[in-house]
Amino acid sequence: MRFSLLTLFFCNFIFAQTQYPKDYFRPPLDIPMQLSGNFGELRPNHFHAGFDLKTNQREGLNVYAVADGYVSRIKMSTFGNGKCIYITHPNGYTSVYGHLQSTIGPIQDYVQKAHYAEHSFEIELFPKPNELPVTKGQLIALSGNTGSSEGPHLHFEIRDSKTEFVINPMFFGFDQNIKDSKKPTISSLYVYPVAENTVVNQSRQPLLLSLALQKDGTYLASKVKANGRIGFGISAVDYDDVSNNKNGVFNVSTFLNGNQNYNYQFNTYSFDEMRYVNALVDYPKYKKSGQRVQKLFMKTPFPLSIIKTDSLRGIISVDPNLASTYRIEVSDYFGNLNSINVPIEYDSATPIVNAEAIASKYFVRYNKDSNFEKDNMSVFFPAGTFYDDFNLNFDVKNNRIYIHDDVVPVHSNFTITIKDSAYSEELRDKLFIARISGNSRSYNATTRKGTVFTAKSKILGQFGLVLDTIAPVIKIIKPIQDKWISDVKVLQFTIGDSLSGIKSYNGYLNGNWILFEYDNKTRKITHKFEDGIVAEGANDLKIEVVDNVGNSAIFETHFFRSQQK
């Protein structure tokens, strides 16, 4: 959804100062607070929604309720925040605790009952206010590494309970637990020709500018000589005093001849805004090099609430007989500041470096529906799929549909349609639309009506129909066939599927469903005997795994176990 400049952008750069309680919440851990990720940090397809707190590189640390309240939501997932608890507090805020190893006490009892009632590891629960009350400092969980975590830590958030907006935890007094006297680091500065005819330092392509450190600690950029409209972008990170982690910066402001013309500050935002990180950064550069350059202008406006800008959206018009000074200020939450001064002057020189050549027959307007079709394949882009207009590379050949490359950011789903005439009716149930990259085939949820297959995607690239007739694979970690395993605490298997991926898995002990937890990083499923489902003596175990097109695999074994001690 797009908004007019009058409703979205303002020349007033003063953020509303909400009075947040400074001493209401305690830390969720009982070790010194160290960040491995901060609020607003730039992540793939999203801004980070809270703190990532270090847990001494291990799991199993005590996690405490930061204030009185009640557990209002519990989500157990194999991805995202993994095992996650939400606590609603009477002061209007909700605290969130993610990547947990396990819940504790009454919360664990509540979760365990739900697992067995729903016959699923992945559950989402919404307890009533009187079901799971907690007090400040109550032990609620153990820290872990579940979900999409890349290492042991605790993900911690604070949200507005009514709006669900995430809020920078620093505002709630947690800044008193963190030491940071270091200025943010600005590693690179780029200048961008915004209009087609703009020339910057005799180039029609973005340029890296050199930076010189001045005696007062600021930086002076090399002179920008241009004509037409230009914009700037920076790579910047922040470090605190106790770790080597690259954190995101808190505030970025730009000034043209002393007047502020662009600003964003990571105070609070909604989950609906998260994907606009792909519009804020130079997405093509990020995909090609891994470098996240934060653009300090908008070629086309997008509704990211943290951005405040002037009517030109941070774009600078370089006109004859006018010289300008442009200043960039980057600061962290503690007020440590780094700045760059950029001299700008008009120059009518002809370009030596021309714009990158574009060989394309097609053009997409971000605010218009677009449909492209060839042979038996088509793609439909609803209005608002993209952030900017662009020239599209599109083709159908060798049973694949080529939809540009993943160097243009996609905001919302587009639709791919493929009509099949090669496979028999029996095999069509085993087909899915995959995104194809080299030897990789990524499953897209696919629907079929007769011979027509449809899927949605948020990533550009090559797509085609893939046949999957191969059943998933189930392997036991340690064989137990006909063995006594009275001292074993868990049953573990690895499960996998090389094409369409696993849709579901279930375990049964003596005909009764049992809980297996899935770890997507190791592809292991684990059942804990402490659940108490095992029988005295002989036991029959059955594991069934189904992939996304219906192929299934079954593993059966028989073992003995004594509960006598």
Side-chain angles (χ1 to χ4, degrees):
M1 183 177 182
R2 300 283 174 169
F3 298 87
S4 70
L5 290 177
L6 290 178
T7 58
L8 178 60
F9 303 116
F10 308 91
C11 290
N12 177 14
F13 294 93
I14 300 175
F15 285 89
Q17 296 299 309
T18 302
Q19 295 300 313
Y20 297 104
K22 298 291 186 182
D23 55 3
Y24 190 88
F25 297 117
R26 58 151 286 168
L29 300 170
D30 53 11
I31 61 172
M33 184 176 284
Q34 291 188 37
L35 298 180
S36 60
N38 68 340
F39 185 84
E41 185 176 310
L42 309 180
R43 299 282 179 90
N45 298 317
H46 70 285
F47 301 103
H48 193 225
F51 284 169
D52 281 346
L53 299 175
K54 292 189 176 185
T55 56
N56 294 334
Q57 299 181 332
R58 62 188 181 93
E59 301 182 41
L61 272 64
N62 290 343
V63 178
Y64 302 96
V66 295
D68 292 353
Y70 68 94
V71 177
S72 55
R73 182 182 176 193
I74 303 167
K75 188 172 184 180
M76 300 284 149
S77 175
T78 56
F79 293 94
N81 283 333
K83 297 181 180 181
C84 191
I85 294 174
Y86 302 70
I87 297 176
T88 295
H89 305 283
N91 65 343
Y93 299 103
T94 296
S95 55
V96 182
Y97 315 76
H99 305 309
L100 303 172
Q101 181 188 77
S102 62
T103 52
I104 293 292
I107 303 174
Q108 174 62 12
D109 295 339
Y110 188 93
V111 170
Q112 194 76 349
K113 288 179 182 178
H115 282 310
Y116 278 91
E118 298 186 23
H119 285 188
S120 177
F121 167 64
E122 295 205 49
I123 55 176
E124 187 167 13
L125 310 171
F126 297 90
K128 296 178 182 178
N130 62 345
E131 289 188 280
L132 291 173
V134 297
T135 58
K136 186 174 184 176
Q138 179 179 327
L139 178 63
I140 58 171
L142 299 178
S143 68
N145 186 29
T146 57
S148 299
S149 170
E150 296 181 355
H153 71 277
L154 175 68
H155 176 79
F156 175 70
E157 298 176 19
I158 296 181
R159 303 182 183 182
D160 183 292
S161 297
K162 289 183 179 179
T163 66
E164 282 286 302
F165 274 52
V166 289
I167 305 167
N168 194 330
M170 290 290 191
F171 291 129
F172 295 88
F174 290 111
D175 56 321
Q176 300 301 313
N177 302 92
I178 298 169
K179 295 181 179 180
D180 183 356
S181 61
K182 298 179 180 179
K183 297 189 297 184
T185 300
I186 304 173
S187 58
S188 58
L189 170 66
Y190 288 85
V191 59
Y192 292 81
V194 176
E196 286 185 9
N197 296 324
T198 297
V199 178
V200 180
N201 293 355
Q202 295 188 281
S203 174
R204 286 201 168 118
Q205 294 187 26
L207 291 174
L208 177 66
L209 299 174
S210 61
L211 300 174
L213 181 63
Q214 306 299 291
K215 291 182 178 180
D216 62 359
T218 64
Y219 285 89
L220 178 65
S222 55
K223 183 178 289 186
V224 172
K225 298 182 178 181
N227 58 74
R229 297 188 301 156
I230 64 173
F232 291 87
I234 58 167
S235 293
V237 296
D238 188 43
Y239 298 89
D240 59 33
D241 292 351
V242 294
S243 69
N244 294 320
N245 292 86
K246 295 179 180 179
N247 296 319
V249 298
F250 175 64
N251 183 288
V252 179
S253 296
T254 67
F255 303 82
L256 182 63
N257 298 323
N259 298 312
Q260 193 170 24
N261 69 333
Y262 199 83
N263 170 271
Y264 53 87
Q265 180 167 299
F266 288 100
N267 293 353
T268 178
Y269 40 81
S270 72
F271 282 92
D272 290 340
E273 299 178 89
M274 291 292 196
R275 200 169 176 87
Y276 286 114
V277 67
N278 293 332
L280 178 69
V281 303
D282 182 339
Y283 190 82
K285 183 175 289 295
Y286 166 61
K287 296 306 293 188
K288 292 175 182 177
S289 69
Q291 182 185 21
R292 289 190 177 96
V293 176
Q294 304 167 50
K295 293 186 294 186
L296 308 179
F297 66 95
M298 291 181 178
K299 185 176 180 180
T300 304
F302 54 91
L304 178 56
S305 63
I306 63 171
I307 295 178
K308 312 299 177 185
T309 183
D310 61 7
S311 60
L312 296 179
R313 306 185 301 275
I315 295 171
I316 300 162
S317 182
V318 185
D319 301 316
N321 303 318
L322 290 176
S324 302
T325 299
Y326 181 76
R327 187 171 81 257
I328 304 166
E329 293 184 353
V330 181
S331 59
D332 59 25
Y333 181 85
F334 299 89
N336 303 303
L337 183 144
N338 210 338
S339 64
I340 303 173
N341 290 297
V342 187
I344 304 171
E345 68 177 36
Y346 178 82
D347 181 33
S348 60
T350 56
I352 296 175
V353 179
N354 288 312
E356 188 174 342
I358 300 173
S360 171
K361 301 177 183 178
Y362 307 96
F363 188 72
V364 175
R365 297 191 182 279
Y366 78 88
N367 59 352
K368 301 285 187 182
D369 291 351
S370 300
N371 190 77
F372 301 94
E373 184 174 357
K374 183 179 177 182
D375 300 335
N376 63 327
M377 302 188 187
S378 65
V379 60
F380 173 67
F381 301 119
T385 301
F386 303 103
Y387 303 112
D388 291 302
D389 301 343
F390 72 102
N391 292 285
L392 172 75
N393 291 316
F394 169 80
D395 202 358
V396 172
K397 55 185 178 181
N398 301 323
N399 296 319
R400 295 184 186 179
I401 182 170
Y402 292 77
I403 312 170
H404 211 76
D405 295 302
D406 184 22
V407 293
V408 173
V410 179
H411 187 71
S412 55
N413 281 318
F414 60 89
T415 303
I416 303 157
T417 302
I418 300 177
K419 186 175 183 180
D420 170 64
S421 60
Y423 291 94
S424 66
E425 181 64 22
E426 181 181 2
L427 288 177
R428 285 186 181 126
D429 285 337
K430 303 299 183 183
L431 292 170
F432 66 95
I433 294 178
R435 183 174 183 272
I436 302 168
S437 178
N439 294 323
S440 173
R441 306 290 186 268
S442 300
Y443 175 80
N444 286 270
T446 304
T447 59
R448 178 171 80 94
K449 290 185 178 180
T451 61
V452 179
F453 295 79
T454 304
K456 297 183 182 298
S457 178
K458 287 184 179 179
I459 306 175
L460 299 175
Q462 301 177 30
F463 298 84
L465 286 176
V466 171
L467 178 66
D468 182 3
T469 59
I470 303 172
V473 175
I474 308 171
K475 294 181 180 179
I476 192 167
I477 300 297
K478 188 175 181 179
I480 58 173
Q481 179 71 34
D482 296 327
K483 294 182 178 181
W484 282 88
I485 57 169
S486 303
D487 295 331
V488 175
K489 295 183 178 180
V490 299
L491 292 171
Q492 281 193 320
F493 296 79
T494 59
I495 58 176
D497 188 84
S498 59
L499 285 174
S500 62
I502 293 170
K503 181 179 181 180
S504 66
Y505 64 91
N506 286 284
Y508 302 90
L509 195 56
N510 305 318
N512 298 311
W513 185 90
I514 58 173
L515 174 64
F516 274 92
E517 297 185 6
Y518 178 66
D519 182 346
N520 71 78
K521 291 182 282 291
T522 62
R523 298 184 179 180
K524 288 181 181 178
I525 56 172
T526 302
H527 171 73
K528 300 175 182 177
F529 280 121
E530 66 186 32
D531 285 4
I533 310 299
V534 68
E536 181 73 21
N539 285 268
D540 293 312
L541 176 68
K542 177 182 176 181
I543 309 292
E544 184 175 13
V545 180
V546 182
D547 68 18
N548 279 298
V549 295
N551 300 306
S552 64
I554 293 176
F555 180 97
E556 293 182 291
T557 191
H558 181 81
F559 66 90
F560 301 90
R561 185 176 174 87
S562 174
Q563 302 297 91
Q564 304 298 321
K565 294 184 179 180

